[in-house]
Amino acid sequence: MGSEVSTGNERAGRGRIERRQAILDGAFTVFARRGYAQACVQEIAREAGVAKPTVYNHLADKESLYREAVEAAADRIGARGVAVVEELRAAGDGDPREALTAVARKLLLAYACEEARAVRQLADAEHGQFPELAASVRERTALRVRCALADRLARLVIAGHLRSCDLELAAEHFLALLTGPLQYRPDADLDDLATAAVDVFLRAYGP
């Protein structure tokens, strides 16, 4: 009997891309719950609603599952961060403090969510077996958002809301002002963190 029939859980007609995404999502959920060593492919298959052989049809082994599941989640987090930063497009016409604070709070929500925390933990936890994974996650999340933010900050410079500066460095400083406090005060009020971060940033980079 084929693997697609044997589970009874796979939706009829589900396409290959959709099945692969379900597998990656299921793998991420299981790895976040159990860690790499304790997770098993059978549990991942159940979580994804597919047969175990279907998992291997899409990804060759547990190592590939781990790497690709974490990277796929990192891509989602990076995309959400870029979408938030894009809201600064209209900041040139209004109050930059208000716009930066709104973006800062949404970025904090993105960084503090359960999925983002799990990505960071999973990327760091298995550094010995996946030495390149932390760098890949950083490229897909922090560096991607920094690049987008630098572009948005350039518009604020042109509008006269910020002084002329090294935009990549300014973006890095802005993000550090948000993510740094989360490491020490993960339960801090996000509105307070956003307000404080923008205040310090504008003191440094205001015109």
Side-chain angles (χ1 to χ4, degrees), residues 38-204:
Q38 298 301 317
C40 69
V41 175
Q42 182 61 57
E43 184 178 3
I44 290 170
R46 285 198 303 270
E47 187 73 34
V50 301
K52 186 175 179 180
T54 304
V55 175
Y56 288 118
N57 286 340
H58 287 265
L59 294 134
D61 48 41
K62 185 178 173 182
E63 290 84 355
S64 298
L65 271 171
Y66 190 82
R67 183 183 301 104
E68 294 201 31
V70 173
E71 288 181 339
D75 283 336
R76 290 193 295 271
I77 294 164
R80 287 198 292 269
V82 169
V84 169
V85 167
E86 282 300 302
E87 295 181 17
L88 284 174
R89 276 188 179 275
D93 301 325
D95 180 0
R97 180 181 294 273
E98 181 179 339
L100 285 168
T101 301
V103 165
R105 190 180 190 284
K106 290 180 180 180
L107 285 174
L108 282 167
L109 284 170
Y111 292 145
C113 75
E114 184 176 342
E115 183 179 40
R117 290 179 178 178
V119 165
R120 292 193 293 269
Q121 290 170 355
L122 291 173
D124 293 338
E126 302 296 331
H127 181 74
Q129 185 161 354
F130 302 93
E132 80 294 343
L133 188 56
S136 177
V137 166
R138 185 166 59 251
E139 179 71 30
R140 294 162 188 267
T141 55
L143 298 184
R144 182 180 176 189
V145 174
R146 185 187 68 178
C147 182
L149 180 58
D151 183 66
R152 295 296 99 212
L153 294 181
R155 302 297 184 108
L156 294 181
V157 171
I158 293 171
H161 294 313
L162 298 178
R163 65 174 174 81
S164 181
C165 60
D166 180 329
L167 294 168
E168 290 283 340
L169 184 61
E172 184 177 309
H173 285 164
F174 186 81
L175 295 173
L177 287 167
L178 298 176
T179 58
L182 280 179
Q183 297 181 33
Y184 299 100
R185 293 180 287 144
D187 298 323
D189 183 83
L190 299 187
D191 287 330
D192 290 344
L193 291 182
T195 299
V198 172
D199 184 60
V200 173
F201 181 76
L202 288 178
R203 286 174 183 270

Side-chain angles (χ1 to χ4, degrees), residues 3-4 6-12 14 19 22-23 25-27 41-52 54-55:
S3 63
E4 303 298 323
S6 63
T7 64
N9 292 324
E10 297 186 54
R11 298 197 302 274
R14 187 157 63 164
R19 284 196 299 273
I23 291 166
D25 291 345
V41 175
Q42 182 61 57
E43 184 178 3
I44 290 170
R46 285 198 303 270
E47 187 73 34
V50 301
K52 186 175 179 180
T54 304
V55 175

